[in-house]
Amino acid sequence: QVQLVESGGGLVQAGGSLRLSCAASVTIFNIYDMGWYRQAPGKQRELVATITSGGTTDYADSVKGRFTISRGNAKNTVYLQMDSLKPEDTAVYYCKGSRWNIDYWGKGTLVTVSS
């Protein structure tokens, strides 16, 4: 069983930055496809950014140019650097790991962007 723990959320003013971390209980580098998702109040969960086991990244149009997904030097960590934050980025952010069509989710971290 893979456990994922997100951290780094908080309250930030519009235009500010936050870096989210996702720590996995296993080595994920080159093994798991990883992703960040978010769910705003009253809305469905949506994809924010992904990074494949091979290192290919992809982003939702709404965050392109502002967010960056990366893997840490420690082989069990994924980051989401969020810059130029907007109030509409307010949501609970979740980390997901996938392998062999099995998905593992963290419990999420809350990001609140004030205007």
Side-chain angles (χ1 to χ4, degrees):
Q1 184 76 8
V2 178
Q3 294 183 334
L4 302 173
V5 179
E6 303 95 336
S7 61
L11 174 63
V12 63
Q13 287 189 330
S17 298
L18 281 175
R19 188 174 81 156
L20 304 183
S21 299
C22 172
S25 59
V26 298
T27 296
I28 58 175
F29 192 81
N30 284 347
I31 298 175
Y32 286 81
D33 296 329
M34 302 297 296
W36 285 97
Y37 292 72
R38 67 186 181 187
Q39 187 166 17
K43 296 187 177 181
Q44 290 188 332
R45 192 173 297 188
E46 63 177 3
L47 182 147
V48 175
T50 59
I51 184 166
T52 68
S53 58
T56 301
T57 60
D58 196 15
Y59 299 90
D61 288 342
S62 59
V63 307
K64 279 182 182 177
R66 301 189 297 122
F67 290 11
T68 303
I69 188 171
S70 63
R71 296 181 296 201
N73 290 331
K75 296 182 178 181
N76 66 336
T77 307
V78 175
Y79 300 104
L80 184 68
Q81 177 67 40
M82 306 187 295
D83 299 318
S84 302
L85 282 160
K86 304 175 181 180
E88 51 263 43
D89 294 318
T90 294
V92 177
Y93 283 71
Y94 297 90
C95 178
K96 186 183 87 169
S98 302
R99 188 186 186 199
W100 297 333
N101 293 320
I102 299 174
D103 295 333
Y104 302 92
W105 291 90
K107 294 183 177 180
T109 185
L110 176 63
V111 172
T112 303
V113 184
S114 63
S115 57

